Amino acid sequence: MIRSAAFGLSLVMALPALADEDRVPPVTHAATQEECGACHMAFQPAFLPARSWQAIMAGLDDHFGENAQLDDATRAEIEAYLLSNAATRIRSVPDTVTPMKISDLPWFKREHGREVSARMMERAKTMSNCVACHRGAERGIYEDD
Amino acid sequence: MKRLTLCLAMLAAAPALAQDTSPARLIAGYEAEAGTPANPAAGKALFLATHGTGKPDTPACTTCHTDNPRAAGQTRTGKTIDPLAPSANPDRFTDVKKVEKWFGRNCDSVLGRACTAAEKADIIAWLSGL
């Protein structure tokens, strides 16, 4: 009960919706950095709403085509961090929709659709490789590089 | 300067490896569990084969690790994977939890099933001899 109240409060105090995607608070949780960052950049939790992180963390046995399972304790710890730092709202995404990828978000597609050349894409390999073009991505800085 | 600070911060953030085992000790443990001696040639064949029995994006170990374990590999999202061969990367096979975590994940992704203790012994035996 106390825990759920505390959790509720932490959600209320969570970040406002992203006003500006150029800067987001960096990942400050060691296990998240370590485990998520093993295969790809550890994406900042403010990019997705809590329901998205919940769905992602519930499906680690098939995480975008790979098994990324964690032991229960680590999984729970990472999920708690992601949920308490998630976005409260995502522009142009209704609450009934649960985006599974940051690169599926309308603003992301708009920003990248115009600007990313085939050559940049070749270098980055995938849209998950933020640091290929945004040198400050790990620190939450996404000014155009 | 900023970059140096970042590097230092990332170093500090990286948890120290447990260093609680060695390739030889792992091989011995898996051999005991399997009841058979490690077979490096079988490990090589398993590692280099295209299986296609797991998830479609990862038909083989070499999908991410390349066919040269002394060289770095690359995840599907473009992140570098340090070499698997201990001769190229002394940190390999020195942390029981890490070894079990990645065998667990990757055997499922590539083979669609868990690896047997014998297969783990075979693969580490092959990689250790490179």
Side-chain angles (χ1 to χ4, degrees):
Chain A
M1 182 62 221
I2 284 182
R3 188 178 292 176
S4 68
F7 180 63
L9 270 179
S10 74
L11 280 181
V12 170
M13 298 187 313
L15 296 157
L18 285 176
D20 165 16
E21 300 89 26
D22 285 354
R23 281 181 181 255
V24 290
V27 171
T28 52
H29 183 248
T32 300
Q33 185 61 55
E34 160 74 4
E35 297 296 344
C36 307
C39 302
H40 55 74
M41 192 192 94
F43 306 116
Q44 288 84 9
F47 278 124
L48 289 172
R51 62 186 182 278
S52 295
W53 291 123
Q54 250 168 329
I56 288 165
M57 294 306 284
L60 289 178
D61 59 321
D62 191 358
H63 184 67
F64 305 102
E66 273 178 64
N67 181 316
Q69 277 178 302
L70 293 161
D71 63 82
D72 286 346
T74 309
R75 197 198 56 75
E77 193 193 324
I78 289 174
E79 184 172 347
Y81 169 74
L82 295 171
L83 294 187
S84 59
N85 291 278
T88 44
R89 275 179 302 121
I90 300 282
R91 256 190 298 133
S92 324
V93 176
D95 289 349
T96 49
V97 173
T98 302
M100 293 300 282
K101 293 171 114 172
I102 297 164
S103 54
D104 284 344
L105 301 175
W107 67 260
F108 185 102
K109 288 180 159 163
R110 208 169 41 241
E111 293 266 338
H112 293 82
R114 282 193 302 257
E115 292 175 35
V116 179
S117 67
R119 220 175 103 242
M120 287 158 89
M121 209 53 224
E122 203 177 321
R123 193 182 52 172
K125 218 176 157 189
T126 67
M127 278 296 181
S128 319
N129 192 4
C130 314
V131 281
C133 302
H134 300 282
R135 285 170 47 192
E138 292 270 8
R139 287 168 289 148
I141 300 165
Y142 291 89
E143 277 129 23
D144 295 336
D145 288 329
Chain B
M1 187 63 221
K2 203 177 265 187
R3 181 164 298 179
L4 176 66
T5 315
L6 176 68
C7 286
L8 283 173
M10 289 178 92
L11 275 178
L17 278 172
Q19 298 283 2
D20 57 2
T21 190
S22 67
R25 275 167 62 193
L26 281 165
I27 293 165
Y30 290 131
E31 283 176 327
E33 200 183 324
T36 49
N39 176 351
K44 178 181 181 175
L46 185 72
F47 188 91
L48 296 177
T50 301
H51 299 278
T53 47
K55 300 189 193 300
D57 292 308
T58 53
C61 307
T62 57
T63 304
C64 300
H65 293 293
T66 80
D67 58 8
N68 176 11
R70 291 181 43 79
Q74 201 182 45
T75 68
R76 288 167 48 232
T77 53
K79 197 157 178 151
T80 298
I81 305 173
D82 292 334
L84 283 176
S87 60
N89 176 11
D91 279 341
R92 277 295 170 204
F93 306 113
T94 59
D95 179 338
V96 172
K97 248 182 96 171
K98 185 173 173 176
V99 169
E100 276 295 303
K101 176 172 87 179
W102 287 105
F103 268 132
R105 287 176 174 181
N106 295 350
C107 293
D108 181 53
S109 291
V110 172
L111 303 172
R113 60 166 176 85
C115 281
T116 64
E119 287 169 330
K120 293 175 192 174
D122 294 348
I123 287 172
I124 300 173
W126 175 59
L127 293 170
S128 306
L130 294 173

